[in-house]
Amino acid sequence: VRTLKRFDEPYGNQVATRIAALEPDEYTRAGAAIRHASTTLMREPASQRLLLLLSDGKPNDVDVYEGRYGVEDMRRAVIEAKLQGIAPFCLTVDRHAAGYLPGVFGAKQYALLAKPSMLPTALLDWMQRLGDAFLVDQQRVMDTVQALRARAQAAGTLESTTQQSVVTQDRVIIIEPAQQGYLYVPVYNPLVVY
């Protein structure tokens, strides 16, 4: 298992380099990957947990972890994740996914991409949907934002800089521009998800 970015690690050049260096490697034991990701997610203080699995096909390996066994192990791992309150979702390019993913994730808990090059657009669309969810339940989203800010502040990754001022008023963490009349817009690479 290779960690590309820890939850408490700020996004930067080192993280981007690790992500950009990813290449296909060997086989897929999806059940083990889902269990590992679930364990990692459960260590994080959050009211909502989403596990997004990006897949290129059925789980398999050189030993008996293939066919029905691999699919069944992945299904059990998804059930275990759901029992812990995690919402698993699979995004795949496998054209045969409709034959096995509904039984693993559920009928509407996976999506098929016609080709891998569509991934950035699909992820941006999902980000838009998350924004729409904010409009439906703004208080819950803002509570989550404050919880994440508190975590970042406790980890030392949220602090005042020459561009921003971080202040706490009545247990609310506020991030404002450091200089009046200036607004520094964060830059994100939409091709990278972390």
Side-chain angles (χ1 to χ4, degrees):
V1 175
R2 285 176 277 163
T3 300
L4 300 177
K5 182 189 175 299
R6 295 182 320 274
F7 284 98
D8 63 344
E9 181 180 15
Y11 179 78
N13 288 336
Q14 289 182 336
V15 173
T17 301
R18 288 193 298 258
I19 293 171
L22 279 177
E23 292 185 9
D25 187 22
E26 304 289 331
Y27 296 91
T28 305
R29 286 187 178 259
I34 292 167
R35 286 182 185 94
H36 177 78
S38 295
T39 299
T40 303
L41 284 171
M42 291 309 294
R43 289 186 194 128
E44 297 301 315
S47 61
Q48 300 287 320
R49 292 177 178 90
L50 170 66
L51 190 157
L52 175 61
L53 176 68
L54 304 178
S55 172
D56 63 353
K58 279 186 178 180
N60 65 27
D61 206 336
V62 294
D63 59 10
V64 297
Y65 196 90
E66 62 181 339
R68 186 73 194 141
Y69 180 86
V71 171
E72 183 60 23
D73 182 55
M74 183 168 64
R75 187 183 75 78
R76 280 299 313 160
V78 167
I79 290 170
E80 292 163 13
K82 288 178 179 179
L83 289 172
Q84 295 176 77
I86 297 171
F89 190 91
C90 182
L91 183 58
T92 186
V93 292
D94 182 6
R95 292 190 178 120
H96 305 290
Y100 65 93
L101 282 184
V104 173
F105 286 89
K108 296 185 180 188
Q109 300 303 312
Y110 76 96
L112 172 65
L113 288 178
K115 47 191 171 178
S117 61
M118 295 174 63
L119 181 60
T121 303
L123 291 174
L124 288 173
D125 178 55
W126 287 356
M127 295 307 289
Q128 175 65 47
R129 290 182 190 182
L130 286 174
D132 293 343
F134 170 74
L135 297 176
V136 173
D137 196 350
Q138 293 181 22
Q139 187 58 52
R140 186 173 183 181
V141 172
M142 292 311 296
D143 290 345
T144 301
V145 166
Q146 285 300 310
L148 291 171
R149 287 180 180 178
R151 250 183 63 213
Q153 198 172 44
T157 57
L158 179 61
E159 52 192 22
S160 293
T161 66
T162 56
Q163 292 90 20
Q164 70 184 17
S165 171
V166 179
V167 295
T168 303
Q169 296 177 349
D170 299 324
R171 296 189 337 225
V172 174
I173 301 170
I174 301 167
I175 304 171
E176 298 176 319
Q179 298 177 22
Q180 289 286 20
Y182 287 89
L183 177 62
Y184 293 91
V185 178
V187 177
Y188 299 96
N189 180 349
L191 299 177
V192 178
V193 177
Y194 56 92

